[in-house]
Amino acid sequence: MEHKHVKRVDLIFEKVECREILEKIVKMEPDAICQEVLESDLKGRGGAGFPTGMKWRFAANETGSIKYIVCNADEGEPGTFKDREILDQVPGKVFCGMAIASRAVGAKKGYVYLRGEYKFLIPRLNEELIKFHQMMDEFNHNFRIQIRLGSGAYICGEESALFESIEGRRGEPRNKPPYPTSIGLFGKPTAINNVETLVHAVVIIKYGASHFKELGTKDSRGSKVFSVSGDTPKSGIFELELGMSVNEFVEEFGDGDTKAVQVGGASGFCVPRKRFEETIIGFEGVPTGGSMKLFNSTRSMYNVLHNYLDFFTEESCGQCTPCRVGCQQLLKGVEAVKRGDKNSKYLDELVKLAKTMKRASKCGLGQSVGNAFGSIVENFKEEIIY
Amino acid sequence: METIIENEFVRELANKHGRSRESLIPILQDLVVQNRFLSKQDMVDVARELDISAADVYGTATFYSFLDTEVRGKYIIRICKTISCAMKGKNEILSTIEDIIKIKLGETSSDRKFSLLEANCIGWCHKAPAILINDTPYTELTPEKVTEILRDYIRK
Ligand SMILES: Cc1cc2nc3c(=O)[nH]c(=O)nc-3n(C[C@H](O)[C@H](O)[C@H](O)COP(=O)(O)O)c2cc1C
Ligand code: SF4
Ligand code: FES
């Protein structure tokens, strides 16, 4: 097997003259923008990995004169903090990405939904927004952005819950379909993208789809900004080429004693040491919105699992029973096993419950609790029981 | 006839943000900035301004952990309890804070200067442990560092 090392990339944080990008896109046909992004194979960086070009084309094809672009800056997944850094370092590029989307889709209004925990960024963003709106006027491109703040609810990162929140209601996810591209914010066609996705769109327009595709693999093109934390001497934010194995990642970021890596945060998967070599970080292996947490042998995986379940129990919106009750039961269940009130067979029952939650829950929160649960219980059973 | 006492501030906020449903959360957020929590009366007054039911306002507010409906202090300290912070000494930071401001987790000091609450991941895991005091993040905390920070707030 070919061993390439972790490759650092500097595209997202590179300073770019947004004026040049805007000059380019106002001359491009909207469909040509969709086509360029489609050809790049860019997949959403918020976690779910939907092809961005396709999303934009769906929204573009909707009839009706009111459409919206939404930038998802709710960043609540435990272990993810790269969007904060992007918004802090290159806010103009994020707005520029929204302008590209607006041209592609035909939207005149955009929203940035910023988590309340990042309120301290507002003065910086507002300053940049004034410059951005002036540029919009210069180019005669009719597009305005408004920033809306969250108020401490992880579920509002889920796209339809985010719409509910902007509309002034409880952040309870909607049924899907209909998808946001047909019925989204205020019932109108909406293209919603993660902060990083929008900046990749800027990179694609600047350098071209073929250049973007030179990095990464067939299933995971380009680079990705990773948020690295836990037991590592190098915690922080790193833009890396996609396609590396967990092993390569650990060689670069581990402390020499890494026993597991949680890829994708609380809703992601736990990869144990014996799977480091074979597991690719990306859509062909374990996908991630960027959260990479390393655990060394001093850590109890029971504590890790308990912490995640506590998180989900608190953050479940409570709207549907499998998730609301399921989270509580999983939490109580592992506590009972740890205390010795239940035997180890009971863990198998809990794994089944997590699988049921995957099928029966209304949104991605309830559907992904089983990812961490299943992978931690499967690989660290003794630590859960004893 | 029922006499309605005008709530000037709520009216001002409705003028600023508008009176449609989408203005509700920005109005509640500004009320929290001003008073640190949402009083029953304020919620009733917001409902009247926006012509929606008070239950609807209450139901929306209680969904969001930052839209508190209980009395809170001038400085709300939120300590992150998610995994990275938990691994990097959050408990020690918590007991240091409790010692210094002399309240327990979940409480508000009797002079209404401080409230101490927990939060889920606040987005500073690479610099854990982390807390928020109102909107300001403080990171890479040690007992000494958090002591110094809180001393400044006590003097404020
Ligand atoms: C519980 C939950 C939380 C989410 N939180 C976020 C988030 O904080 N940021 C984000 O970009 N996407 C988040 N998502 C994914 C969004 O629903 C949506 O897929 C994404 O914003 C689409 O953008 P992308 O295609 O550019 O990735 C979350 C999904 C779920 C189910
Ligand atoms: S799965 Fe959980 S978070 Fe999602 S709608 Fe159901 S209860 Fe709410
Ligand atoms: S776990 Fe505390 S900031 Fe992320």
Side-chain angles (χ1 to χ4, degrees), chain A residues 78-79 81 84 115 117-120 148-152 155-156 165-171 186 228-231 235-236 293 295 299 304 307-308 310-311 314-315 317, chain B residues 21-26 29-30 33 58-67 81-88 118-127 132 135-137:
Chain A
F81 38 85
R84 169 179 52 71
R115 69 183 307 208
E117 291 83 345
Y118 293 170
K119 190 176 176 186
F120 68 95
R148 293 291 295 259
L149 267 177
S151 264
I155 191 59
C156 289
S165 182
I166 292 182
E167 292 176 22
R169 288 187 289 268
R170 296 163 67 85
F186 300 113
V228 182
S229 69
D231 294 314
S235 60
K293 259 187 218 278
F295 301 108
R299 304 297 173 186
V304 174
N307 192 282
Y308 288 159
D310 182 58
F311 172 81
E314 278 185 17
E315 298 293 345
C317 84
Chain B
R21 180 65 195 240
E22 55 174 302
S23 314
L24 175 60
I25 293 176
Q29 285 170 334
D30 275 0
V33 169
Y58 181 77
T60 306
T62 50
F63 186 85
Y64 297 93
S65 62
F66 287 7
L67 300 178
K81 67 172 161 99
T82 307
I83 189 69
S84 284
C85 292
M87 283 163 60
K88 303 277 160 121
E118 279 181 325
N120 285 321
C121 183
I122 57 173
W124 292 94
C125 328
H126 57 322
K127 295 186 173 178
L132 279 173
D135 302 328
T136 312

Side-chain angles (χ1 to χ4, degrees), chain A residues 196-265:
Chain A
E196 183 189 341
T197 310
L198 291 162
V199 178
H200 279 295
V202 176
V203 173
I204 290 163
I205 294 298
K206 183 170 161 76
Y207 295 108
S210 51
H211 185 269
F212 177 86
K213 279 170 90 165
E214 280 168 17
L215 291 176
T217 64
K218 182 169 70 58
D219 295 311
S220 310
R221 299 283 187 200
S223 61
K224 168 97 196 68
V225 185
F226 290 91
S227 313
V228 182
S229 69
D231 294 314
T232 163
K234 291 194 217 171
S235 60
I237 294 136
F238 301 89
E239 185 180 353
L240 307 171
E241 177 174 10
L242 279 169
M244 68 199 143
S245 69
V246 176
N247 203 42
E248 284 157 346
F249 177 84
V250 168
E251 272 173 21
E252 177 80 16
F253 292 98
D255 63 357
D257 185 28
T258 310
K259 77 168 170 189
V261 181
Q262 180 75 18
V263 182

